[in-house]
Amino acid sequence: MSSDAQNNPSPTPPLRREGLNPAPPPFLGEGVGGRGSSPLPPPGQPVLRIRGVNHYFGTGDTRTQVLFDNTLEVMPGEMVIMSGPSGSGKTTILTLIGGLRTLQEGEIEVWDANRGDYRTLRGVPEPELVNVRRLIGFIFQRHNLFDSLTAMQNIRMAQRLKESAADPDEAARDILTYLLLGEKDIQSKSQKSRFDYKPAKLSGGQRQRVAIARALINRPKLVLADEPTAALDANSGLAVVTLVQELARVRSETDLQKLVRPAEEAGENGRLAEWQVPLLRKIATEHGTTSLIVTHDSRIMNLADRIVHMERGRIESNVVVAERLFVREGLRQSPAFAAILPEEQEKIADSVLVGVHPNDPVRPDHLAAKPGCVEVYEPGQAIVRQGDAVNAESKFYLIRRGIVDVSRVVNGATQKLTEMGSGRYFGEVAFLMDQPRNATVRAITRVEVYTVSRATFDKFRSVSLPFIERVLANFRAGDGTPRT
Amino acid sequence: MTPLRLAWANLVHKRARTFVAAAGVAFAVVLVFMELGMLGGVGRTATMLYDKLQFDLLITSSEYLDLSRAPEFPRQRLVQARVDAVDDVIPVSFGVAGWRAPRQESLFGDTEPGGQLSINIVAAPPDKLNKAFVVGESGAFASEAEAIEAGKRLKQLDTFLLDRRSKPDFGDLAKLQAIPPDGRGGEAVRLNGQRASVVGGFDLGTGFSWNGMLLTSEESYAKYAMRPRDAVHFGLVQVKPGVNPVAVQQHLRRTLPPDVKVYTRAEINADERNYWLRLTSIGQFLLVAVILAIVVGVIFVYQMMAADIRNMLPEYATVKALGYRPPYLTGVVLWQAVLLAVFGYVPGFVAALGLYHVASNFGGIPTAMTLETAVGVLALTCFMCLASGLLAVRKVHSADPADLF
């Protein structure tokens, strides 16, 4: 371990969420625990909490369960992609979150920025669900605009519910212009604005953009979207996704300028016009918007913070992309796991995920939900001790958060070997060499570590044995540096 | 976007549909106007003769039910009614006779004279026509002089005045006047089979009770109707200036024998209207027709609005998903209903004015547009559309925003 720590320091995966935590993120403001107006929940608390949600369609003999004990938490500013085959329950769960259906069993809580508290949907009668709907921006695949109203008037329908802008008309014009329905096109040439067009005179993509503008004009803290970019061309799609991202978190000017590129470079990914960037900043004056998006658009999938996969009414996987990358990268850096087949390595990584961004601390309920995946140690607490025998209970550790001290007693004197932080690992040598621990690892700060049990390791080892044997051979022929 | 503005936008956007819906409302409005016009015509028919007679109190037989069934009472009662406060009591008789249909000219050829038409006769003392009948612009005679002159002509036996507003079937007044009474020329005016002379005209009008009216002297009436001279149908009591008619009525009720009744003008009008509107089949029929017209209107407008709402259910569901409360949607639908009511009422009102004109002048039905009728039908139209809207609004509330995803 020490040599690994000293000579082959594992790189920390570059997984920082730009502008987001460590808490409190600058744009999110100070979350407060009690009641009172607060745009976002207290640090570490989700903006949406779903627990044990079941749902049934029909009554009597035709009553059919369509959702089964679904639990999910979504943190502020996350872009969540809902995936799964048709009929897997994605839409039903979206409608329950949005207060479009009455919750039958389980709990759903949505953060209400106006109240500074969660609004629970359990047992809420239909008329009060209206209050929940007002917190949410809905983007429907079928645009559902009012045919009798112009693009501007359709947006004013949403604005009327929350007259926050000093000049609502200007706000509506800005967002429509940004979405390329104003007087400038992507090439900065003048065009006839579509502000006063009724839906019948707009193309499918233009209608969809008006519907998106209507959903986002009030800067909701939660956006529920069903294939929002399905009808959009590359440039419009990028404009929409960038707006959703900007409403979620502040992006650097450099990042945005990367999207202002020539058409030939943009390809199918689309591009922004130079004039769209300042307009985007003007529109997205508030951040922290969380979005749950049902989509098959790979342009959006690649930007997801969390991917929730549903099968037959159940959330089969709830993966925070950054956490998955963090763990996979951490395991990949370890010589022991690097030798395991890549797909087997990914299975090990996915089996220890707790669904929390590595920048965020885990809560006891996270630990209880997936026991044995993450362990938490308080400062001064020993994680492994020198001389401990290796047995079936022994583990491999990947530091999630915090700093540890690695030391060894030599001739009665304690030698500090190194300190390690997030993304570093220890404990793999014991797995491979079947030797007692050769150093003590102690938490300096509060430490969270992902753990892989020897049983899990052995299971995958058997699959990848030829590779492991090869690695062992490498170790035996190595420089003799002791490892734990 | 207030509910009113959204309702307006919806209606203006779908012009063709709105036009059809407004046409439906207009149709219902015309129906209601016409039924009410007819009903009003019945009411006017009831008091048409009384409106042309001058009296403060009216003496009738105690068995009096309505004008068409007015029994006679002894003429002596009129003498008994001449108390101190009474200025004059004028006898009036009323009956029906057979009128020989004159030659008729039409586009399809002339018709030969002959055939029997029922015509009403009203009789009064010729020298008191100016006192018995209302004179002036809306009176039976245009002026007092005309009434006096007409009275002079009626003093001759077998002479009659024909109501100028009688149905054309009874003949043209000028031509009838030109027919010599002795039958020379091959044509003659015949009443109950006897030769008569038309010596002039007066203005009364037709209605549901009669199609034509003659005015004559009591002598001619007695001869042609074959009624006794000592009996009359009505006594027009005219009290002296400054005297309260009600006080005189009470006095006469105490002093006159029980075989007569004494009405004030308001009482006889109310009784007559009540009889016609409530007790006759035509009044009840028209009342039912008004209700049916409203029901038809409600159903039509409901169908239009329900179809409209069905088409717009996804939009309404979106409004619900945006966070609008049910009263907003109700407001949109009800405003739409009110606007439809107005869109339908205006052309319906104009059409009704035209139809009233036709009915009055060519159909002989005394229809007239009054402010009360106009305002009442507007209120009814709004009610009709609002009722349809309230029925249809249930569909709006059934719009399920969950279906949007």
Side-chain angles (χ1 to χ4, degrees):
Chain A
M1 175 180 71
S2 56
S3 67
D4 180 65
Q6 290 164 350
N7 304 327
N8 299 302
S10 58
T12 302
L15 298 172
R16 296 283 165 209
R17 279 188 287 180
E18 295 170 67
L20 262 173
N21 282 339
F27 64 87
L28 299 180
E30 297 284 344
V32 290
R35 290 177 183 275
S37 180
S38 173
L40 291 167
Q45 294 300 316
V47 74
L48 169 68
R49 188 181 283 141
I50 300 171
R51 284 199 195 114
V53 168
N54 296 314
H55 198 76
Y56 306 83
F57 286 147
T59 53
D61 292 343
T62 61
R63 185 173 161 92
T64 308
Q65 187 165 2
V66 292
L67 291 181
F68 298 84
D69 193 27
N70 288 293
T71 295
L72 176 69
E73 282 189 356
V74 179
M75 304 304 285
E78 280 189 339
M79 182 187 280
V80 181
I81 299 299
M82 305 280 289
S83 69
S86 178
S88 57
K90 309 183 295 288
T91 301
T92 307
I93 212 164
L94 275 192
T95 56
L96 288 171
I97 294 167
L100 303 181
R101 287 186 203 282
T102 303
L103 182 62
Q104 295 170 344
E105 287 180 11
E107 284 183 14
I108 295 180
E109 290 178 312
V110 179
W111 179 256
D112 184 345
N114 300 322
R115 295 171 63 200
D117 200 356
Y118 288 96
R119 199 177 269 281
T120 181
L121 273 66
R122 187 178 186 182
V124 174
E126 164 73 21
E128 286 181 35
L129 287 177
V130 170
N131 296 320
V132 177
R133 293 172 194 162
R134 290 186 178 188
L135 304 174
I136 296 168
F138 294 99
I139 303 174
F140 310 106
Q141 190 174 6
R142 285 166 291 171
H143 53 82
N144 297 321
L145 296 174
F146 257 88
D147 285 340
S148 60
L149 302 182
T150 63
M152 284 286 286
Q153 288 170 329
N154 267 289
I155 294 172
R156 295 288 287 131
M157 283 288 290
Q159 283 178 303
R160 186 176 180 269
L161 291 169
K162 186 184 175 187
E163 294 283 9
S164 53
D167 184 348
D169 283 337
E170 185 187 354
R173 278 194 299 272
D174 283 347
I175 195 164
L176 286 173
T177 302
Y178 170 77
L179 293 172
L180 303 171
L181 295 170
E183 289 163 349
K184 277 189 196 171
D185 67 6
I186 190 74
Q187 293 163 326
S188 303
K189 291 178 184 168
S190 67
Q191 65 176 16
K192 185 163 172 42
S193 80
R194 301 318 197 254
F195 299 154
D196 297 322
Y197 279 35
K198 288 182 178 174
K201 287 183 71 179
L202 297 173
S203 68
Q206 288 169 335
R207 274 180 253 171
Q208 183 68 356
R209 277 177 274 164
V210 175
I212 289 167
R214 180 179 63 184
L216 301 180
I217 190 71
N218 290 334
R219 300 178 188 89
K221 286 291 169 274
L222 182 60
V223 173
L224 303 181
D226 189 4
E227 298 287 1
T229 56
L232 301 184
D233 61 85
N235 295 331
S236 302
L238 180 67
V240 169
V241 171
T242 308
L243 176 57
V244 171
Q245 284 185 306
E246 188 69 17
L247 286 170
R249 66 192 67 143
V250 181
R251 300 181 71 187
S252 69
E253 188 68 24
T254 313
D255 273 358
L256 289 176
Q257 285 301 332
K258 285 178 188 168
L259 303 175
V260 181
R261 52 201 171 197
E264 53 274 15
E265 279 181 28
E268 290 182 353
N269 293 321
R271 64 193 178 105
L272 293 183
E274 184 76 40
W275 58 265
Q276 280 178 296
V277 176
L279 203 49
L280 175 68
R281 297 283 196 211
K282 186 182 174 191
I283 296 164
T285 52
E286 291 177 25
H287 308 276
T289 294
T290 304
S291 48
L292 267 73
I293 302 172
V294 173
T295 187
H296 296 94
D297 187 342
S298 59
R299 293 171 297 182
I300 300 185
M301 298 276 272
N302 295 337
L303 301 169
D305 295 313
R306 183 188 295 269
I307 297 175
V308 175
H309 184 75
M310 294 191 72
E311 293 271 359
R312 295 180 297 282
R314 295 177 203 276
I315 293 177
E316 290 292 334
S317 70
N318 167 22
V319 174
V320 174
V321 174
E323 185 191 25
R324 174 184 263 174
L325 289 175
F326 179 89
V327 176
R328 285 186 179 181
E329 182 65 15
L331 297 188
R332 196 181 65 79
Q333 293 297 321
S334 161
F337 288 93
I340 296 179
L341 287 171
E343 61 267 30
E344 304 303 324
Q345 190 185 112
E346 287 174 4
K347 285 179 188 169
I348 295 175
D350 288 355
S351 70
V352 300
L353 301 179
V354 289
V356 180
H357 194 282
N359 287 347
D360 296 330
V362 291
R363 299 192 312 263
D365 54 309
H366 294 138
L367 301 177
K370 287 201 76 176
C373 295
V374 171
E375 290 177 1
V376 178
Y377 294 89
E378 296 304 320
Q381 201 175 351
I383 302 171
V384 296
R385 292 177 187 279
Q386 184 179 357
D388 283 353
V390 171
N391 52 34
E393 303 303 316
S394 300
K395 295 170 181 171
F396 167 85
Y397 300 89
L398 172 64
I399 301 172
R400 187 174 187 279
R401 287 168 61 86
I403 299 169
V404 298
D405 169 89
V406 183
S407 61
R408 184 165 56 183
V409 176
V410 179
N411 299 327
T414 301
Q415 292 180 349
K416 180 171 180 173
L417 300 177
T418 187
E419 286 183 5
M420 295 194 295
S422 175
R424 303 289 291 276
Y425 56 86
F426 54 92
E428 82 283 11
V429 173
F431 280 7
L432 298 173
M433 308 298 286
D434 215 12
Q435 295 172 351
R437 303 287 189 186
N438 62 358
T440 296
V441 180
R442 196 179 297 276
I444 297 176
T445 62
R446 184 179 184 271
V447 170
E448 296 171 5
V449 286
Y450 291 104
T451 64
V452 179
S453 69
R454 182 159 184 175
T456 304
F457 182 82
D458 285 345
K459 187 175 85 177
F460 289 100
R461 180 187 180 187
S462 62
V463 176
S464 307
L465 200 55
F467 294 92
I468 293 173
E469 289 300 330
R470 199 168 66 201
V471 173
L472 278 175
N474 287 340
F475 269 105
R476 288 182 186 122
D479 58 4
T481 306
R483 297 181 64 84
T484 58
Chain B
M1 187 66 61
T2 62
L4 172 60
R5 283 193 63 190
L6 185 53
W8 175 264
N10 285 344
L11 290 176
V12 170
H13 178 67
K14 294 172 180 168
R15 287 190 177 88
R17 177 173 281 278
T18 302
F19 177 79
V20 173
V25 175
F27 178 71
V29 166
V30 169
L31 272 182
V32 172
F33 264 127
M34 288 315 294
E35 305 303 351
L36 284 178
M38 298 279 187
L39 205 60
V42 171
R44 266 181 284 280
T45 294
T47 61
M48 185 175 283
L49 179 62
Y50 298 136
D51 290 343
K52 300 285 182 178
L53 293 173
Q54 290 193 59
F55 63 88
D56 297 309
L57 299 170
L58 185 71
I59 300 173
T60 69
S61 161
S62 59
E63 294 171 18
Y64 176 88
L65 281 177
D66 73 295
L67 179 64
S68 62
R69 281 174 290 177
E72 294 161 331
F73 62 88
R75 184 179 286 266
Q76 180 63 24
R77 301 289 173 262
L78 303 186
V79 178
Q80 291 170 317
R82 290 179 191 279
V83 294
D84 285 347
V86 171
D87 181 47
D88 199 359
V89 181
I90 302 171
V92 171
S93 289
F94 185 78
V96 184
W99 178 265
R100 181 174 180 267
R103 179 186 301 279
Q104 290 286 341
E105 294 174 359
S106 79
L107 289 172
F108 306 103
D110 296 350
T111 59
E112 290 301 314
Q116 194 84 345
L117 297 173
S118 180
I119 193 164
N120 283 61
I121 308 174
V122 61
D127 55 349
K128 289 187 177 178
L129 288 188
N130 60 325
K131 286 191 75 179
F133 288 89
V134 175
V135 295
E137 194 179 343
S138 59
F141 299 99
S143 65
E144 197 151 339
E146 185 187 320
I148 292 168
E149 175 59 29
K152 286 178 183 171
R153 293 182 197 163
L154 290 183
K155 279 183 179 173
Q156 190 176 343
L157 197 63
D158 304 338
T159 55
F160 293 85
L161 303 179
L162 177 66
D163 179 13
R164 296 187 185 90
R165 297 185 199 168
S166 294
K167 290 273 177 68
D169 304 351
F170 294 96
D172 178 70
L173 179 60
K175 289 182 179 172
L176 290 172
Q177 277 185 269
I179 296 173
D182 56 6
R184 283 175 293 143
E187 286 192 35
V189 175
R190 283 185 181 275
L191 196 64
N192 278 353
Q194 303 175 57
R195 282 184 181 164
S197 293
V198 175
V199 295
F202 72 108
D203 293 298
L204 181 62
T206 57
F208 289 92
S209 267
W210 60 82
N211 293 324
M213 183 73 77
L214 292 169
L215 173 58
T216 188
S217 64
E218 289 183 284
E219 287 76 14
S220 296
Y221 173 80
K223 177 185 172 187
Y224 281 84
M226 291 176 285
R227 301 307 304 163
R229 297 286 305 275
D230 61 349
V232 293
H233 289 92
F234 302 105
L236 308 180
V237 179
Q238 295 169 351
V239 301
K240 289 178 178 169
V243 175
N244 181 4
V246 176
V248 178
Q249 179 195 33
Q250 287 167 355
H251 175 74
L252 292 179
R253 279 180 174 170
R254 282 196 304 272
T255 57
L256 290 177
D259 59 353
V260 292
K261 289 193 280 195
V262 181
Y263 290 96
T264 61
R265 180 178 286 277
E267 285 172 351
I268 189 69
N269 281 352
D271 269 22
E272 202 69 18
R273 280 181 207 279
N274 181 58
Y275 173 80
W276 274 94
L277 297 178
R278 301 276 167 81
L279 302 178
T280 65
S281 55
I282 191 167
Q284 290 174 349
F285 169 79
L286 290 173
L287 213 55
V288 170
V290 170
I291 294 167
L292 274 178
I294 293 168
V295 171
V296 166
V298 167
I299 292 170
F300 187 87
V301 177
Y302 168 75
Q303 291 289 349
M304 294 302 298
M305 294 192 74
D308 198 39
I309 287 168
R310 261 198 305 277
N311 290 336
M312 292 180 68
L313 271 184
E315 294 173 23
Y316 286 124
T318 306
V319 170
K320 288 171 89 170
L322 285 175
Y324 281 91
R325 294 181 192 283
Y328 178 86
L329 290 173
T330 305
V332 173
V333 174
L334 294 188
W335 269 117
Q336 215 161 311
V338 170
L339 291 172
L340 262 186
V342 175
F343 291 169
Y345 177 81
V346 173
F349 176 77
V350 173
L353 280 179
L355 289 170
Y356 274 19
H357 180 76
V358 171
S360 289
N361 293 284
F362 302 101
I365 300 168
T367 50
M369 183 65 75
T370 62
L371 182 63
E372 289 82 4
T373 307
V375 173
V377 174
L378 176 60
L380 263 180
T381 311
C382 289
F383 163 78
M384 179 175 80
C385 291
L386 284 172
S388 307
L390 283 173
L391 286 173
V393 87
R394 293 174 310 165
K395 286 191 179 296
V396 171
H397 294 312
S398 73
D400 188 355
D403 291 339
L404 295 171
F405 273 107

